Amino acid sequence: MTADTAFVLGGGGRWGAVEVGMLQALLDAEIQPDLVLGTSIGAINGAMFAADPSRAGVARLNELWRQASTAEAFGGSVWSRARQVARLRPALIDARPLRRLLTESLPVDQISDLRLAFQCVAASIERAAEHWFTEGDLVSALVASAAVPGLFPPVPINGEHFYDGGLVNSVPLDRAVRLGATRIYVLQVGRLEQPLRAPERIHEAALVAFEIARRHRFATHRDELPDGVELHVLPTGNELAFDDARQLRFSDLGDTAQLIGVAHDATASYLADRA
């Protein structure tokens, strides 16, 4: 597969709403990709877009983010999480509501049936390696790519078990380059814009360590881009992101509309300045 223009949608849980605003702005600027790559929530947003890469398709994605069922799929109820803990399960959230939401929301079953070329990444537990889903069952691939350890259980596919793609490639810039993209738009959730600070509480230590690992990989590939590759890291306009405590409220989608709106405006301004 080769592609001229790629959209690369990074992971980031509840902050993934900003990618909806970015997609709106890209379509407003009449920018369409040949290839869509996604990790975790970026895989879900990317697949929805690849299924219908139009303003109507992005409007449906916008509406999906605002539905109460979406928050339930990503967070579950307090009682359901308590049951998982009591049963000593390896995850707080049952993946079935997310699988059901995606099955109901996506118009196709197979990756090959999407209107745009699409791939998403997950982490293979047995091989301790990144795995790219390029064909096969779409919903299973998306659930695997978004299976945050501890929140969701590992996803079994063809004899392997998979966790969240953010563990191995949170913003898969290198994959786009490998597939021949010469113009790449990175839809990231704001982490690349925010400076890190030393942790002050115990829960912050793991968050900071994970952040260092994924930012380092992206920065390395960004700095090693081949000549002739045009890179655009789209801005979120989100000054709220990355209060560490808010990152842990993974099912709180109360500020979705604001996140989408500010990301749209920031990206539209960015694109207009470079037109």
Side-chain angles (χ1 to χ4, degrees):
M1 175 190 294
T2 58
D4 293 325
T5 299
F7 287 2
V8 174
L9 290 85
R14 65 188 296 277
W15 306 108
V18 301
E19 296 174 348
V20 181
M22 293 171 176
L23 289 169
Q24 290 174 339
L26 286 162
L27 290 187
D28 290 344
E30 299 184 346
I31 298 170
Q32 279 275 8
D34 305 296
L35 170 68
V36 178
L37 302 175
T39 299
S40 196
I41 193 62
I44 292 172
N45 286 335
M48 292 290 294
F49 179 75
D52 184 0
S54 67
R55 288 181 174 84
V58 175
R60 280 192 289 274
L61 179 57
N62 189 325
E63 181 59 29
L64 180 65
W65 268 93
R66 297 167 188 260
Q67 293 175 6
S69 58
T70 303
E72 176 67 18
F74 280 102
S77 69
V78 172
W79 290 113
S80 68
R81 295 199 296 268
R83 284 195 299 272
Q84 295 290 90
V85 172
R87 294 171 182 172
L88 301 180
R89 296 291 172 82
L92 289 175
I93 304 170
D94 187 334
R96 285 176 294 184
L98 175 58
R99 185 177 289 272
R100 183 166 55 249
L101 176 71
L102 294 174
T103 300
E104 293 171 351
S105 301
L106 286 160
V108 300
D109 298 325
Q110 299 293 306
I111 292 174
S112 59
D113 292 331
L114 293 166
R115 289 171 58 183
L116 295 175
F118 172 80
Q119 300 181 9
C120 66
V121 66
S124 166
I125 293 175
E126 286 81 1
R127 291 182 290 115
E130 69 181 69
H131 176 88
W132 282 92
F133 292 97
T134 61
E135 59 184 5
D137 183 73
L138 176 59
V139 169
S140 292
L142 297 179
V143 175
S145 186
V148 178
L151 296 184
F152 290 101
V155 177
I157 300 175
N158 296 331
E160 280 188 86
H161 295 81
F162 296 95
Y163 265 145
D164 190 287
L167 294 172
V168 287
N169 207 338
S170 185
V171 184
L173 174 62
D174 57 317
R175 183 72 174 183
V177 172
R178 191 175 306 126
L179 293 174
T182 55
R183 185 171 63 153
I184 303 171
Y185 291 89
V186 170
L187 288 72
Q188 51 88 37
V189 303
R191 290 191 172 103
L192 302 179
E193 302 169 342
Q194 302 290 331
L196 286 175
R197 60 174 176 78
E200 297 176 356
R201 298 184 177 90
I202 186 64
H203 73 273
E204 295 174 349
L207 293 172
V208 169
F210 186 39
E211 241 356 91
I212 290 171
R214 62 177 155 194
R215 291 192 196 194
H216 174 72
R217 175 162 184 164
F218 174 80
T220 298
H221 290 299
R222 179 197 59 206
D223 295 343
E224 295 176 350
L225 279 180
D227 292 340
V229 174
E230 177 185 333
L231 176 64
H232 300 274
V233 180
L234 301 181
T236 66
N238 179 17
E239 296 179 357
L240 299 176
F242 305 111
D243 157 353
D244 292 316
R246 295 179 80 238
Q247 287 191 65
L248 297 175
R249 298 202 294 272
F250 43 86
S251 63
D252 177 6
L253 302 182
D255 53 3
T256 290
Q258 181 181 1
L259 291 170
I260 292 172
V262 295
H264 172 271
D265 292 348
T267 295
S269 178
Y270 172 91
L271 295 173
D273 289 343
R274 286 154 182 80

